[in-house]
Amino acid sequence: SPNPASTQTCLQASPELALPLPWQCFNATGQVLAEGAFRQMPGCIELKGWPGGTYYIKVLSKENVYVLPLIVQ
């Protein structure tokens, strides 16, 4: 996954995680800016038009919640 990124970021999840994997992207204040579901791996999120800054990608599996930082240039 490119970090920092400018046009897209892609995530590779462990093969044991069942698809689809819902995700949300939010900013430092917790506002949800985008959401969707990864239906295949690697799962990519388009970032074109996003203002530069730090965001967080939350990925929800049946067992866990993963939060990953993302820097958009």
Side-chain angles (χ1 to χ4, degrees):
S1 153
N3 189 10
S6 59
T7 57
Q8 76 172 5
T9 189
C10 296
L11 305 173
Q12 180 67 51
S14 299
E16 60 269 12
L17 294 179
L19 297 175
L21 282 174
W23 62 267
Q24 294 180 318
C25 181
F26 55 96
N27 61 19
T29 63
Q31 178 184 10
V32 175
L33 305 173
E35 57 190 334
F38 296 126
R39 302 194 184 288
Q40 63 184 23
M41 284 294 136
C44 296
I45 300 171
E46 290 297 321
L47 304 174
K48 289 180 187 168
W50 289 31
T54 301
Y55 299 89
Y56 299 91
I57 306 291
K58 183 193 308 186
V59 180
L60 309 161
S61 75
K62 290 184 182 184
E63 297 82 21
N64 292 299
V65 176
Y66 305 92
V67 179
L68 310 164
L70 170 67
I71 298 169
V72 175
Q73 293 183 330

